[in-house]
Amino acid sequence: MTVRSLPELVEVAAPAWPELRVAIDSASTPVEVLAVDPIEADRTLYALQVTAGSTLGALAHNCGGLLIDHGWLRILGGGTDQLPSLASANGLGDPSAAPGPPPFLIVAFDVLGGRFAIDGGGLGVAPGEVCYWGPDTLEWESLGIGHTAFVNAFLQGAATEFYASWRWPGWEAELGSIGTDQGLSLMPPPFTAQGSNLAEVSRRPVPFAELLSFYDELANQVKNLRPGESFRLATD
């Protein structure tokens, strides 16, 4: 594929960040804009091969990420010490050595271990649309919108409805003690009948990478089960 230089990606006629910054400042939900190292911002934008005229490029080049709704949702950008960049979360390196665009692009996580990704064809769901992989379904589902609409929707409070059945009394205070490199481990897991009410399950902070690995392992264990079939949960 044709690789564009960093100046080509940065020096655009209509950068998206000013408009996005207005949307952040007028958000209906708490938003924290994380600072980014300029070197990492350049590296991330170059690895993505998108311009600063896109919402994706604006996030990559102008912030470490966005923490939305008390950190419940972590929208990825250029990365920080505790939050991966769009490049590192997707294993992107030198684009000149890449065979082509990635089959999907992780763009956000939630504190429960859920993931949001743009389907590049590899998820087999809806190419170009943002999809969600949740700990309640263990599979990808389309949100029916693109990345810009996804970011704007959650800035305007979409998390309240999206996670309405998952929140428990006092969740805001509980998230206040959780770092951006951590997530909440739920036991029993929310895809089980016993774990469907998050107010009644065991919740504890764990390293986020560990949480993602746990759900990947869990998805492999249950992928061949029939609806309603019993199983024994195997964990380390």
Side-chain angles (χ1 to χ4, degrees), residues 33-97:
V33 181
L34 302 178
V36 66
D37 181 310
I39 295 176
E40 289 303 316
D42 285 350
R43 183 177 292 128
T44 300
L45 190 67
Y46 182 64
L48 288 171
Q49 284 292 292
V50 297
T51 75
S54 65
T55 299
L56 193 66
L59 288 166
H61 205 242
N62 292 277
C63 68
L66 304 179
L67 302 184
I68 295 182
D69 225 358
H70 307 277
W72 184 289
L73 180 67
R74 297 98 179 257
I75 293 182
L76 303 183
T80 71
D81 290 343
Q82 293 192 325
L83 190 69
S85 69
L86 283 158
S88 61
N90 290 283
L92 302 180
D94 185 347
S96 64

Coordinates of all heavy atoms in Angstrom, one line a residue, residues 33-97:
V33 N -9.6 14.8 29.2 CA -8.7 14.7 28.0 C -7.3 14.4 28.6 O -6.7 15.2 29.3 CB -8.7 16.0 27.2 CG1 -7.8 15.9 26.0 CG2 -10.1 16.4 26.8
L34 N -6.7 13.3 28.2 CA -5.4 12.9 28.6 C -4.3 13.5 27.7 O -4.5 13.5 26.5 CB -5.3 11.4 28.6 CG -6.3 10.6 29.5 CD1 -6.1 9.1 29.3 CD2 -6.2 11.0 30.9
A35 N -3.3 14.0 28.4 CA -2.2 14.6 27.6 C -1.4 13.5 26.9 O -1.4 12.3 27.3 CB -1.2 15.3 28.6
V36 N -0.7 13.9 25.8 CA 0.0 12.9 25.0 C 1.4 13.5 24.7 O 1.6 14.7 24.6 CB -0.7 12.7 23.6 CG1 -0.7 13.9 22.8 CG2 -0.1 11.5 22.9
D37 N 2.4 12.6 24.7 CA 3.7 12.9 24.3 C 3.7 13.2 22.8 O 3.3 12.3 22.0 CB 4.6 11.7 24.6 CG 6.1 12.0 24.3 OD1 6.4 12.4 23.2 OD2 7.0 11.8 25.2
P38 N 4.2 14.3 22.4 CA 4.2 14.7 20.9 C 4.9 13.6 20.0 O 4.4 13.4 18.9 CB 5.0 16.0 20.8 CG 4.8 16.6 22.2 CD 4.8 15.4 23.2
I39 N 5.9 13.0 20.5 CA 6.6 12.0 19.8 C 5.7 10.8 19.6 O 5.6 10.2 18.5 CB 8.0 11.5 20.4 CG1 8.9 12.7 20.4 CG2 8.6 10.3 19.7 CD1 10.2 12.4 21.2
E40 N 5.0 10.4 20.6 CA 4.1 9.2 20.5 C 2.9 9.6 19.6 O 2.4 8.7 18.9 CB 3.6 8.8 21.9 CG 4.7 8.1 22.8 CD 5.2 6.9 22.1 OE1 4.5 6.1 21.5 OE2 6.5 6.7 22.1
A41 N 2.5 10.9 19.7 CA 1.4 11.3 18.9 C 1.7 11.2 17.4 O 1.0 10.7 16.6 CB 1.0 12.7 19.2
D42 N 3.0 11.6 17.0 CA 3.4 11.5 15.6 C 3.5 10.0 15.2 O 3.1 9.6 14.1 CB 4.8 12.1 15.5 CG 4.7 13.6 15.5 OD1 3.6 14.2 15.4 OD2 5.8 14.3 15.6
R43 N 4.1 9.2 16.1 CA 4.3 7.8 15.8 C 2.9 7.1 15.6 O 2.8 6.3 14.7 CB 5.0 7.1 17.0 CG 5.4 5.6 16.7 CD 6.2 5.1 17.9 NE 7.5 5.7 17.9 CZ 8.1 6.2 19.0 NH1 7.4 6.3 20.1 NH2 9.3 6.7 18.9
T44 N 1.9 7.4 16.4 CA 0.6 6.8 16.3 C -0.1 7.2 15.0 O -0.6 6.3 14.3 CB -0.2 7.2 17.5 OG1 0.4 6.7 18.7 CG2 -1.6 6.5 17.4
L45 N 0.0 8.5 14.7 CA -0.7 8.9 13.5 C 0.0 8.3 12.3 O -0.7 7.9 11.3 CB -0.6 10.5 13.4 CG -1.4 11.1 12.3 CD1 -2.9 11.0 12.6 CD2 -1.1 12.6 12.1
Y46 N 1.3 8.2 12.3 CA 2.0 7.6 11.1 C 1.7 6.2 11.0 O 1.4 5.6 9.9 CB 3.5 7.8 11.3 CG 4.3 7.3 10.1 CD1 4.2 7.8 8.9 CD2 5.2 6.2 10.3 CE1 5.0 7.3 7.8 CE2 6.0 5.7 9.3 CZ 5.8 6.3 8.0 OH 6.6 5.8 7.0
A47 N 1.6 5.4 12.1 CA 1.2 4.0 12.1 C -0.2 3.8 11.6 O -0.4 2.8 10.8 CB 1.4 3.4 13.4
L48 N -1.1 4.7 11.9 CA -2.5 4.5 11.5 C -2.7 4.9 10.0 O -3.6 4.4 9.4 CB -3.4 5.5 12.3 CG -3.6 5.1 13.8 CD1 -4.4 6.2 14.5 CD2 -4.5 3.8 13.9
Q49 N -1.9 5.8 9.5 CA -2.0 6.3 8.1 C -3.3 6.9 7.8 O -3.9 6.7 6.8 CB -1.7 5.1 7.1 CG -0.2 4.8 7.0 CD 0.6 5.9 6.3 OE1 0.4 6.2 5.1 NE2 1.5 6.5 7.1
V50 N -3.8 7.7 8.8 CA -5.0 8.5 8.6 C -4.6 9.9 8.9 O -3.6 10.2 9.6 CB -6.2 8.1 9.6 CG1 -6.6 6.7 9.3 CG2 -5.8 8.3 11.1
T51 N -5.4 10.9 8.3 CA -5.0 12.3 8.5 C -5.6 12.9 9.7 O -6.6 12.4 10.3 CB -5.4 13.1 7.2 OG1 -6.8 13.3 7.3 CG2 -5.1 12.4 5.9
A52 N -5.0 14.1 10.1 CA -5.6 14.8 11.2 C -6.9 15.4 10.9 O -7.5 16.1 11.7 CB -4.6 15.9 11.6
G53 N -7.4 15.3 9.6 CA -8.7 15.7 9.3 C -9.8 14.8 9.7 O -11.0 15.1 9.5
S54 N -9.4 13.6 10.2 CA -10.4 12.6 10.6 C -10.5 12.6 12.1 O -9.6 13.1 12.8 CB -10.0 11.2 10.1 OG -8.8 10.8 10.8
T55 N -11.6 12.2 12.7 CA -11.8 12.1 14.1 C -10.7 11.2 14.7 O -10.1 11.4 15.7 CB -13.2 11.6 14.5 OG1 -14.1 12.5 14.0 CG2 -13.3 11.5 16.0
L56 N -10.5 10.1 14.0 CA -9.5 9.1 14.5 C -8.1 9.7 14.5 O -7.3 9.6 15.5 CB -9.5 7.9 13.5 CG -8.7 6.6 14.0 CD1 -9.4 6.0 15.2 CD2 -8.7 5.6 12.8
G57 N -7.7 10.4 13.5 CA -6.4 11.1 13.4 C -6.3 12.2 14.4 O -5.3 12.4 15.0
A58 N -7.4 12.9 14.6 CA -7.4 14.0 15.6 C -7.1 13.5 17.0 O -6.4 14.1 17.8 CB -8.7 14.8 15.6
L59 N -7.8 12.4 17.4 CA -7.6 11.8 18.7 C -6.1 11.3 18.8 O -5.5 11.5 19.9 CB -8.5 10.6 18.9 CG -10.0 11.0 19.1 CD1 -10.9 9.8 19.0 CD2 -10.2 11.7 20.5
A60 N -5.6 10.6 17.8 CA -4.3 10.1 17.8 C -3.2 11.2 18.0 O -2.2 10.9 18.7 CB -4.0 9.3 16.5
H61 N -3.4 12.3 17.4 CA -2.4 13.3 17.3 C -2.5 14.4 18.4 O -1.6 15.2 18.6 CB -2.3 13.9 15.9 CG -1.0 14.5 15.6 ND1 -0.8 15.8 15.3 CD2 0.2 13.9 15.5 CE1 0.5 16.1 15.1 NE2 1.1 14.9 15.1
N62 N -3.7 14.5 19.1 CA -3.9 15.6 20.0 C -4.2 15.3 21.4 O -4.2 16.2 22.3 CB -5.0 16.5 19.4 CG -4.7 17.2 18.1 OD1 -4.1 18.2 18.1 ND2 -5.1 16.6 17.0
C63 N -4.3 14.0 21.7 CA -4.6 13.6 23.1 C -4.1 12.2 23.3 O -4.0 11.4 22.4 CB -6.0 13.8 23.5 SG -7.2 12.6 22.7
G64 N -3.9 11.9 24.6 CA -3.5 10.5 25.0 C -4.8 9.6 24.9 O -4.6 8.4 24.8
G65 N -5.9 10.2 25.0 CA -7.2 9.4 25.0 C -8.2 10.3 25.7 O -7.9 11.3 26.3
L66 N -9.5 9.8 25.7 CA -10.5 10.4 26.5 C -11.1 9.5 27.5 O -11.4 8.3 27.2 CB -11.7 10.8 25.5 CG -11.3 11.7 24.3 CD1 -12.6 12.0 23.5 CD2 -10.7 13.1 24.8
L67 N -11.3 9.9 28.7 CA -11.9 9.2 29.8 C -13.3 9.7 29.9 O -13.5 10.9 30.3 CB -11.2 9.2 31.1 CG -9.7 8.8 31.1 CD1 -9.2 8.8 32.5 CD2 -9.6 7.4 30.5
I68 N -14.3 9.0 29.6 CA -15.7 9.4 29.5 C -16.5 8.8 30.7 O -16.4 7.6 30.9 CB -16.4 9.1 28.2 CG1 -15.6 10.0 27.1 CG2 -17.8 9.4 28.2 CD1 -16.2 9.8 25.7
D69 N -17.4 9.6 31.3 CA -18.3 9.1 32.3 C -17.5 8.5 33.5 O -17.7 7.3 33.8 CB -19.3 8.1 31.7 CG -20.7 8.3 32.2 OD1 -20.9 9.3 33.0 OD2 -21.6 7.6 31.8
H70 N -16.7 9.3 34.1 CA -15.9 8.9 35.3 C -14.9 7.8 34.9 O -14.5 7.0 35.8 CB -16.8 8.4 36.4 CG -17.8 9.4 36.8 ND1 -17.6 10.5 37.6 CD2 -19.1 9.6 36.4 CE1 -18.7 11.2 37.8 NE2 -19.6 10.7 37.0
G71 N -14.5 7.7 33.7 CA -13.5 6.6 33.2 C -14.2 5.3 32.9 O -13.5 4.3 32.6
W72 N -15.5 5.2 32.8 CA -16.2 4.0 32.4 C -15.8 3.6 31.0 O -15.5 2.5 30.7 CB -17.7 4.2 32.5 CG -18.5 2.9 32.2 CD1 -18.6 2.3 31.0 CD2 -19.2 2.1 33.2 NE1 -19.4 1.2 31.1 CE2 -19.7 1.0 32.4 CE3 -19.4 2.2 34.5 CZ2 -20.5 0.0 33.0 CZ3 -20.2 1.2 35.2 CH2 -20.7 0.1 34.4
L73 N -15.7 4.6 30.1 CA -15.3 4.4 28.7 C -14.0 5.1 28.5 O -13.8 6.2 28.9 CB -16.4 5.0 27.8 CG -16.1 4.8 26.3 CD1 -16.1 3.4 25.9 CD2 -17.1 5.7 25.5
R74 N -13.1 4.4 27.9 CA -11.7 4.9 27.5 C -11.6 4.9 26.0 O -11.4 3.9 25.4 CB -10.6 4.0 28.1 CG -10.6 4.0 29.7 CD -11.3 2.7 30.2 NE -11.3 2.6 31.7 CZ -10.5 1.9 32.4 NH1 -9.7 1.1 31.7 NH2 -10.6 1.8 33.7
I75 N -11.7 6.1 25.4 CA -11.6 6.2 24.0 C -10.1 6.4 23.7 O -9.5 7.3 24.3 CB -12.4 7.4 23.4 CG1 -13.9 7.0 23.5 CG2 -12.1 7.6 21.9 CD1 -14.8 8.1 23.0
L76 N -9.5 5.6 22.8 CA -8.1 5.7 22.6 C -7.6 6.8 21.7 O -8.3 7.2 20.8 CB -7.6 4.3 22.0 CG -8.0 3.1 22.8 CD1 -7.4 1.8 22.1 CD2 -7.4 3.2 24.2
G77 N -6.4 7.3 22.0 CA -5.8 8.3 21.2 C -4.3 8.0 21.0 O -4.0 6.9 20.5
G78 N -3.4 8.9 21.3 CA -2.0 8.7 21.2 C -1.4 8.0 22.3 O -0.2 7.7 22.2
G79 N -2.1 7.6 23.3 CA -1.6 6.8 24.4 C -1.0 7.6 25.6 O -0.6 8.7 25.4
T80 N -0.9 6.9 26.7 CA -0.3 7.5 27.9 C 0.5 6.3 28.6 O 0.5 5.2 28.1 CB -1.3 8.0 28.9 OG1 -2.0 6.9 29.5 CG2 -2.3 9.0 28.3
D81 N 1.1 6.6 29.7 CA 1.7 5.5 30.5 C 0.8 4.4 30.9 O 1.2 3.3 31.0 CB 2.4 6.1 31.7 CG 3.6 7.0 31.4 OD1 4.1 6.9 30.2 OD2 4.1 7.7 32.2
Q82 N -0.5 4.8 31.1 CA -1.5 3.8 31.6 C -2.5 3.4 30.6 O -3.3 2.5 30.8 CB -2.2 4.3 32.8 CG -1.2 4.5 34.0 CD -2.0 4.7 35.3 OE1 -3.0 5.4 35.3 NE2 -1.5 4.2 36.4
L83 N -2.6 4.1 29.4 CA -3.6 3.8 28.4 C -2.9 3.6 27.1 O -2.1 4.4 26.6 CB -4.6 4.9 28.3 CG -5.8 4.7 27.5 CD1 -6.8 3.7 28.2 CD2 -6.6 6.0 27.2
P84 N -3.1 2.4 26.4 CA -2.4 2.2 25.1 C -2.9 3.2 24.1 O -4.0 3.7 24.1 CB -2.9 0.7 24.8 CG -4.2 0.6 25.5 CD -4.1 1.3 26.8
S85 N -2.0 3.4 23.1 CA -2.3 4.2 22.0 C -3.1 3.4 21.0 O -3.2 2.1 21.1 CB -1.0 4.7 21.3 OG -0.4 3.6 20.7
L86 N -3.7 4.0 20.0 CA -4.4 3.3 18.9 C -3.5 2.4 18.2 O -3.8 1.3 17.8 CB -5.0 4.3 18.0 CG -6.3 5.0 18.4 CD1 -6.5 6.3 17.7 CD2 -7.5 4.1 18.3
A87 N -2.2 2.8 18.1 CA -1.2 2.0 17.4 C -0.9 0.7 18.2 O -0.9 -0.4 17.8 CB 0.0 2.8 17.1
S88 N -0.5 0.9 19.5 CA -0.1 -0.2 20.3 C -1.3 -1.2 20.6 O -1.1 -2.4 20.7 CB 0.5 0.3 21.7 OG -0.4 1.0 22.4
A89 N -2.5 -0.6 20.8 CA -3.6 -1.5 21.1 C -3.9 -2.4 19.9 O -4.5 -3.5 20.1 CB -4.8 -0.7 21.4
N90 N -3.5 -2.0 18.7 CA -3.8 -2.8 17.5 C -2.5 -3.4 16.9 O -2.6 -4.0 15.8 CB -4.4 -1.9 16.5 CG -5.8 -1.5 16.9 OD1 -6.8 -2.3 16.7 ND2 -6.0 -0.3 17.4
G91 N -1.4 -3.3 17.6 CA -0.2 -4.0 17.2 C 0.4 -3.4 15.9 O 1.0 -4.1 15.1
L92 N 0.2 -2.1 15.7 CA 0.6 -1.4 14.4 C 2.0 -0.9 14.6 O 2.4 -0.2 15.6 CB -0.3 -0.3 14.1 CG -1.8 -0.6 13.9 CD1 -2.6 0.6 13.5 CD2 -2.0 -1.7 12.8
G93 N 2.9 -1.1 13.6 CA 4.2 -0.6 13.6 C 4.5 0.2 12.4 O 3.7 1.1 12.0
D94 N 5.6 0.0 11.7 CA 6.0 0.7 10.5 C 5.0 0.4 9.4 O 5.0 -0.8 9.0 CB 7.4 0.4 10.1 CG 7.9 1.1 8.9 OD1 7.1 1.8 8.3 OD2 9.1 1.1 8.7
P95 N 4.2 1.3 8.9 CA 3.3 1.0 7.9 C 3.9 0.5 6.6 O 3.2 -0.2 5.8 CB 2.5 2.3 7.7 CG 3.4 3.3 8.1 CD 4.2 2.7 9.3
S96 N 5.1 0.8 6.3 CA 5.8 0.4 5.1 C 6.0 -1.1 5.1 O 6.2 -1.8 4.1 CB 7.1 1.1 4.9 OG 8.0 0.8 5.9
A97 N 6.0 -1.7 6.3 CA 6.2 -3.2 6.4 C 4.9 -4.0 6.6 O 4.9 -5.2 6.6 CB 7.1 -3.5 7.6

